[in-house]
Amino acid sequence: MSNAPGTTEEDAEYKKICENHKHLIETLPKCNGWWTPHLHNYNGFWLTPDILKANLLLHTYFKSHPTDIFLASFMKSGTTWLKALVFSTLNRDSYTFSDHYLHKHNPHSAFSPLDAETYPITDFTNSLTPRLFSTHFARTMLPACMSSCKFVYVCRDPKDVLISLWHFMNKIRSKDVPPLSLDEAFELFCLGVSDYGPFWEQVLSYWRASLEYPDKILFLKYEDMKKEPEVVVRKLAAFVGKPVTVEEEEKGVVREIVKLCSFENLSNLEVNKEGFEKFGRLVNIEKREFFRKGVIGDWKNYLTKEMKERIDGITAQKFKGSGLVFTATG
């Protein structure tokens, strides 16, 4: 479909979606939102009204291609950095490091955000192959047609996710309402109430799928990316079907990709300091808001010992028996 009025049949189908959406908003459990008035619990996950509608549209209209690549994450888990790494690794034959796409464009612009779709849904027919998409939806919230596609997923210590999410949401929260306090954000997060949350269930949806389909889902940890970025780039290259060659190793291509996509480099580019990044037709966010600190363990500057122990306790309980372990960050 395209961004033009659909056929009468398509419009009738869309009307049904709107009616269903209205019914869901009226009947689903709801709770206070972080940047919107409310979040609604749909199939076990908390979504804003617009994101819930986008999910309904996705299931109705989206048609995947076997070559599609999806980048998935929980919010504030290193999404911007991973987008830069995936794009530059996949397209390393198309640009030089002195004149690169990322010098002139924010990393988010290289991926189509599935979570921001409105009607008529975007026409991806003429997109370059492989088509690149991004999402924060849990694996279980996505259409079955995507099961044949490749996913790159990144997770992060929930304590750092919480702090980064709290800062970010207060930046995009309406100035007509008071800022969200850390205590309130902490309590909501621990209860699982945050956009696309609960955090733990969202992470586990991809972790379990990666164990079952390791050739389809590459599961990464932000902390490992920070410690060994070159190792991650080599993993990405092999996963997307473009393994790093001996010649590229000798030329230092991996090192150049890591340097290009580093927080220090990306955050200092003019293109990432000014203007807005548009997500579908729903949200405009200042580009600079995607670059805060990019460090491990910033939670230590905000959380009390009791707060840390509560989140660590929830994480241990939720992940028990799954085989998923987070490296301690303090």
Side-chain angles (χ1 to χ4, degrees):
M1 300 181 77
S2 64
N3 289 330
T7 63
T8 303
E9 185 178 337
E10 289 168 346
D11 287 341
E13 193 167 33
Y14 176 62
K15 186 178 179 182
K16 288 182 182 178
I17 291 174
C18 290
E19 291 170 354
N20 184 29
H21 177 255
K22 183 175 183 291
H23 174 72
L24 289 170
I25 294 302
E26 291 172 349
T27 58
L28 287 174
K30 67 180 181 179
C31 196
N32 290 340
W34 290 52
W35 68 287
T36 57
H38 297 104
L39 290 170
H40 299 265
N41 193 289
Y42 179 61
N43 291 339
F45 292 91
W46 294 96
L47 306 175
T48 67
D50 284 343
I51 299 301
L52 171 51
K53 191 171 186 178
N55 190 265
L56 299 177
L57 290 169
L58 200 60
H59 279 267
T60 304
Y61 297 110
F62 186 79
K63 301 292 185 290
S64 65
H65 293 174
T67 56
D68 290 344
I69 296 176
F70 297 85
L71 188 153
S73 63
F74 195 80
M75 292 183 73
K76 312 315 293 178
S77 296
T79 312
T80 306
W81 184 23
L82 185 57
K83 283 181 178 180
L85 287 171
V86 170
F87 179 83
S88 55
T89 299
L90 188 63
N91 294 284
R92 61 187 187 273
D93 298 331
S94 303
Y95 303 96
T96 65
F97 291 108
S98 59
D99 184 22
H100 200 277
Y101 176 91
L102 293 177
H103 290 155
K104 303 179 182 71
H105 303 86
N106 183 277
H108 290 284
S109 68
F111 290 74
S112 299
L114 294 179
D115 310 0
E117 277 301 332
T118 55
Y119 182 81
I121 198 166
T122 308
D123 184 359
F124 300 109
T125 307
N126 297 318
S127 300
L128 295 175
T129 302
R131 304 186 306 179
L132 301 178
F133 298 100
S134 63
T135 184
H136 293 307
F137 285 128
R139 174 72 172 176
T140 52
M141 294 283 287
L142 295 173
C145 67
M146 296 181 186
S147 60
S148 62
C149 305
K150 289 190 173 184
F151 280 75
V152 180
Y153 182 82
V154 60
C155 69
R156 187 183 189 185
D157 184 327
K159 298 186 294 295
D160 278 334
V161 169
L162 163 62
I163 296 305
S164 187
L165 189 63
W166 172 59
H167 279 287
F168 182 76
M169 289 302 193
N170 271 329
K171 292 286 188 181
I172 65 173
R173 189 176 166 96
S174 171
K175 304 305 180 214
D176 296 330
V177 294
L180 187 71
S181 71
L182 178 55
D183 285 343
E184 187 178 359
F186 174 80
E187 190 61 32
L188 287 170
F189 190 83
C190 288
L191 293 173
V193 181
S194 60
D195 295 55
Y196 303 98
F199 166 85
W200 299 273
E201 281 74 4
Q202 198 263 19
V203 172
L204 283 171
S205 73
Y206 286 95
W207 171 250
R208 289 171 179 144
S210 74
L211 296 180
E212 190 172 358
Y213 307 105
D215 59 325
K216 294 296 184 184
I217 300 181
L218 178 61
F219 191 97
L220 301 173
K221 296 177 182 176
Y222 180 84
E223 293 75 18
D224 294 341
M225 291 168 60
K226 290 292 288 186
K227 290 173 184 173
E228 297 182 302
E230 291 190 16
V231 172
V232 170
V233 168
R234 294 185 185 98
K235 281 185 181 179
L236 284 172
F239 183 72
V240 299
K242 293 187 65 174
V244 177
T245 65
V246 174
E247 184 181 4
E248 286 178 320
E249 290 283 12
E250 292 173 348
K251 289 182 177 179
V253 170
V254 173
R255 186 172 61 252
E256 287 294 332
I257 289 175
V258 169
K259 181 180 175 183
L260 170 70
C261 300
S262 69
F263 180 87
E264 292 73 24
N265 183 57
L266 290 179
S267 62
N268 283 302
L269 292 174
E270 287 303 316
V271 69
N272 294 323
K273 290 181 179 180
E274 299 178 359
F276 292 81
E277 190 62 41
K278 189 175 179 66
F279 286 83
R281 283 156 271 166
L282 294 179
V283 182
N284 287 321
I285 298 175
E286 287 188 71
K287 294 178 182 178
R288 64 186 179 190
E289 302 302 350
F290 295 110
F291 302 90
R292 194 176 71 86
K293 286 188 176 180
V295 298
I296 296 173
D298 187 44
W299 63 265
K300 298 173 196 174
N301 297 315
Y302 298 91
L303 301 184
T304 64
K305 180 173 180 288
E306 291 74 22
M307 287 172 150
K308 172 206 181 292
E309 290 176 350
R310 184 175 173 190
I311 291 187
D312 285 348
I314 295 171
T315 302
Q317 177 194 1
K318 295 281 190 180
F319 289 174
K320 185 178 181 180
S322 69
L324 177 58
V325 178
F326 276 118
T327 305
T329 59

